[in-house]
Amino acid sequence: MQHVPSMFSMEGQVAIVTGAGKGIGRACALGLAQAGADVALAARTQADLESVAAEIHALGRKAIVVPCDVNNEQALELLVQRTLAELGKITVLVNNAGGAGPNDPRKMSADDFSKVLTWNVAPAYLLIQKVVGPMRDAGGGAVINISSMAARLAQKHFSAYGAAKAALNQMTRNLAQDFAPHVRINAIEPGAIKTDALARYLTPEREEVMLRVTPMGSLGQPEDIAAAVVFLASPASRWITGKVLGVDGGSEVPATF
Ligand SMILES: NC(=O)c1ccc[n+]([C@@H]2O[C@H](COP(=O)([O-])OP(=O)(O)OC[C@H]3O[C@@H](n4cnc5c(N)ncnc54)[C@H](OP(=O)(O)O)[C@@H]3O)[C@@H](O)[C@H]2O)c1
């Protein structure tokens, strides 16, 4: 029988992480590097990426900095080409860039609604399309899409974000069917994770309401998502594809403000 702890190793793997400058993306990039992977870091702010790259270099792994707006398809193509040229292959993709704040369904324009839908789904779709060939050439690969528990919990003020992440989940399930067995595609639904994005909405009163509906009794840390990403990227999950994993402190009820 194979040694199970060694199945969690990312030695010899090369990952692309979008939104890698801060928050969940930064933690995923660092976690993958700690487990042995080299990492291509993508986001718009170069200084943030340089600082994550320095942390990865200190771990003895390679990291490249690729400033990139995921809404720009040419930038996504360059991200893939630079990763192949500078790190040699692609075996893992973490589609993490995305998000959206609450919306007022009485006022949100069709244009703003479409932007939220597009941003959370289309770059992930295009990047998957671009990496499946290289992953197949490398002997296989794994994609992890960062969704949200907002895809599952009915909640006021999140009709656009919830719809976008629900679309990402179903895209995950369907693409997993298209690209098995060479490429596994899974998603993670984080609950409330302490990042800059959450800090924009987090008042002490809101935090108290969130904690009341979180059975584990605390908000999540970016590392909680990174640990699940390492699992879904590594051979430890080699027989798992097309699944959506909640990493949410046990939340089944939305926080209502
Ligand atoms: N935090 C939570 O509670 C929570 C819960 C559920 C799901 N999520 C999901 O987790 C993901 C990350 O959220 P987070 O809380 O870690 O956010 P964050 O702390 O705001 O970090 C977002 C990262 O994405 C980058 N980014 C933003 N727009 C981008 C674009 N157009 N192209 C490339 N990179 C871009 C940002 O850098 P630049 O601005 O420099 O580009 C930054 O590095 C999102 O998909 C979000 O929906 C978060």
Side-chain angles (χ1 to χ4, degrees), residues 95-100 116-117 119-121 145-152 158-173 187-190 244:
N95 283 310
N96 164 72
V116 173
L117 285 189
W119 183 37
N120 282 281
V121 182
N145 295 325
I146 303 300
S147 178
S148 168
M149 70 176 176
R152 176 169 46 88
F158 281 97
S159 50
Y161 182 60
K165 293 298 196 183
L168 182 65
N169 287 356
Q170 190 61 3
M171 188 184 84
T172 299
R173 295 187 186 98
I188 292 173
E189 286 181 344
V244 178

Side-chain angles (χ1 to χ4, degrees), residues 25-44:
R26 170 181 172 271
C28 293
L30 289 172
L32 289 164
Q34 287 164 352
D38 295 333
V39 190
L41 305 164
R44 292 167 301 178

Side-chain angles (χ1 to χ4, degrees), residues 78-102:
L78 189 65
L79 170 61
V80 169
Q81 292 313 325
R82 275 197 55 195
T83 307
L84 289 170
E86 295 172 44
L87 298 177
K89 61 182 175 181
I90 299 167
T91 60
V92 173
L93 166 64
V94 183
N95 283 310
N96 164 72

